[in-house]
Amino acid sequence: MRLVIAGGGTGGHLFPGIAIAEEFLALNPANEVLFVGTSHGIEARLLPKLGYPLALISASGVKGLGTAKKVLSAARMLYGYAQSRKILKEFKPDLVLGVGGYASAPLVMAARGMGIKSFIHEQNAFPGLANKLLGRFVERVFISMKGAEGFFPKNRTLMTGNPIRKEILWGFQERQQRATEAFSLLIFGGSAGAHRINTAVIEALPFLEGVKEKLRITHQTGEKDQALVRDAYRAAGFQAQVSSFIDNMSTAYGAADLVVCRAGATTIAEITACGKACVFIPFPYATDDHQRKNAESLVNEGAGFLIVEDDLSGEVLAKQLLELMEDPKRLAAVERNARSLAQLDAAQVIVTAMMEK
Ligand SMILES: CC(=O)N[C@H]1[C@@H](OP(=O)(O)OP(=O)(O)OC[C@H]2O[C@@H](n3ccc(=O)[nH]c3=O)[C@H](O)[C@@H]2O)O[C@H](CO)[C@@H](O)[C@@H]1O
């Protein structure tokens, strides 16, 4: 069978798509997957490295744009629709799945027009624009969080959870034992990095002076802040591995005693799958403040800690980290609670449901 996975833009949309591709391909060696995205999305950078075929179409968002740019964006979408029809005619998929992000809209609409079985997956409790639109046209809407069903036609949603890549599931099984002396901190800000987290960590360093010999830090900064953050650690004499993007998140999660990160839906799914204790600093401008709600869904179950940006400072962050470093029993309890919330079979459930329809 052949499956097209459309969408991306950010890692939060793309990585669940990759998890579904892995599951679909593992079912039968004759199965084929084609990703469809845009040249400016994370998919264009990552998928060729991972060996997945990718077709590019023209697509962009409309949110927050003035009238002239909206018209331009609509024109791009129309062109993307024509490109999608051509791609679908050539690849002849049996199934099409939109995973959110601009490129999913023209592709899934084109697939529906051509009578190809189409589905979408929504990672968040509050759907993005593309999925809200597409929900009316597809056979099934796979959702990851309670609350999302309210945005889609009744009886069409299926709660599946958010698919997690196999390397991350396996990484959990191979995770390293906590080192006796050192304490490993993993810091990352979603797929693009988070400037506010980067600066808060830099401001926290003077307050962490007393534990600096013990700390081993892995810090993903995003493109812009890499030099700034690396220089700050160097100047303060901390041991830190700093990169703009971490290719192997499985190893990074595996080594971490504590994680500091945003609260995107895919991050949350992975944190629970790996059973990690985490200090969440949600991105406050996400639609309907959904990252805060994502974080609260864990924090309310004793499965993580929350600092909202309004309260964030170097001192507040350092205080939280110091408190947790001194309390391994509490960390272990939070890890267990996080793990108990994991949904590990989402990719399997989605692939089975698509093939049944
Ligand atoms: C600012 C914003 O609106 N962000 C949204 C975006 O987040 P974003 O794209 O940041 O996605 P998530 O936080 O959900 O997931 C990040 C993904 O990137 C991977 N990763 C991250 C860093 C790194 O160095 N290497 C790496 O591989 C993680 O393992 C994870 O798979 O999509 C999510 C899912 O739709 C939403 O919930 C978020 O609100």
Side-chain angles (χ1 to χ4, degrees):
M1 288 185 97
R2 282 185 296 275
L3 166 67
V4 164
I5 299 178
T10 67
H13 293 308
L14 179 68
F15 288 121
I18 293 177
I20 291 164
E22 289 173 346
E23 185 67 32
F24 182 74
L25 293 172
L27 274 186
N28 184 340
N31 282 352
E32 285 178 58
V33 170
L34 173 68
F35 281 86
V36 176
T38 66
S39 61
H40 45 270
I42 193 173
E43 58 274 18
R45 191 159 52 83
L46 285 188
L47 289 173
K49 273 204 269 182
L50 297 173
Y52 287 104
L54 168 69
L56 297 174
I57 60 169
S58 152
S60 61
V62 289
K63 218 175 168 185
L65 297 181
T67 314
K69 285 195 170 158
K70 269 192 182 140
V71 171
L72 196 67
S73 177
R76 271 198 208 107
M77 285 296 202
L78 274 178
Y79 183 47
Y81 182 84
Q83 291 172 307
S84 299
R85 283 184 63 88
K86 188 163 178 281
I87 290 166
L88 293 168
K89 270 185 196 154
E90 278 167 15
F91 187 67
K92 297 188 181 60
D94 304 284
L95 308 164
V96 163
L97 174 73
V99 289
Y102 312 134
S104 62
L107 192 291
V108 173
M109 290 305 284
R112 270 320 272 168
M114 292 167 73
I116 302 167
K117 279 185 197 166
S118 304
F119 307 83
I120 54 171
H121 176 256
E122 174 55 57
Q123 297 88 36
N124 299 288
F126 292 82
L129 215 55
N131 273 355
K132 264 194 215 159
L133 164 79
L134 295 174
R136 280 178 258 158
F137 301 100
V138 293
E139 314 251 342
R140 281 220 126 154
V141 178
F142 304 118
I143 59 171
S144 313
M145 295 198 191
K146 272 190 222 141
E149 67 281 356
F151 295 88
F152 297 108
K154 277 208 173 72
N155 306 328
R156 219 172 285 178
T157 57
L158 179 67
M159 170 61 97
T160 60
N162 196 0
I164 299 159
R165 290 168 284 163
K166 286 199 175 8
E167 57 160 294
I168 287 176
L169 294 176
W170 292 338
F172 165 76
Q173 280 152 25
E174 289 162 11
R175 74 193 264 214
Q176 297 161 15
Q177 288 297 312
R178 182 167 290 163
T180 42
E181 268 311 300
F183 188 93
S184 299
L185 198 57
L186 167 63
I187 302 165
F188 73 102
S191 55
H195 177 69
R196 193 69 185 85
I197 292 184
N198 295 338
T199 52
V201 171
I202 293 173
E203 287 157 20
L205 295 181
F207 301 97
L208 297 170
E209 181 67 28
V211 291
K212 90 172 167 193
E213 298 308 326
K214 200 175 164 187
L215 273 178
R216 303 284 177 276
I217 301 171
T218 301
H219 189 144
Q220 172 255 25
T221 57
E223 291 295 337
K224 287 196 191 121
D225 288 346
Q226 192 179 358
L228 173 87
V229 173
R230 182 172 289 154
D231 292 349
Y233 282 122
R234 213 170 269 160
F238 279 74
Q239 292 195 41
Q241 276 190 309
V242 179
S243 59
S244 60
F245 187 80
I246 299 169
D247 282 318
N248 189 340
M249 282 301 283
S250 168
T251 306
Y253 283 131
D257 293 310
L258 182 62
V259 181
V260 175
C261 61
R262 291 291 196 203
T266 303
T267 294
I268 296 274
E270 292 171 356
I271 290 289
T272 56
C274 298
K276 287 289 150 184
C278 191
V279 178
F280 294 108
I281 305 171
F283 177 61
Y285 308 107
T287 320
D288 293 304
D289 208 6
H290 71 242
Q291 288 210 0
R292 180 173 179 160
K293 288 166 189 142
N294 289 349
E296 281 171 352
S297 68
L298 268 69
V299 174
N300 294 341
E301 302 294 326
F305 306 91
L306 173 68
I307 302 177
V308 293
E309 275 203 5
D310 279 348
D311 299 337
L312 182 65
S313 69
E315 189 173 1
V316 165
L317 178 61
K319 196 165 162 253
Q320 174 77 89
L321 297 180
L322 289 169
E323 202 181 295
L324 294 172
M325 282 177 75
E326 280 162 19
D327 200 345
K329 276 199 187 136
R330 190 163 168 218
L331 279 184
V334 170
E335 286 177 346
R336 276 195 303 278
N337 293 343
R339 175 73 180 166
S340 74
L341 297 174
Q343 271 183 293
L344 301 175
D345 60 353
Q348 234 172 312
V349 175
I350 289 172
V351 169
T352 308
M354 285 196 296
M355 294 178 71
E356 268 171 4
K357 260 280 171 185

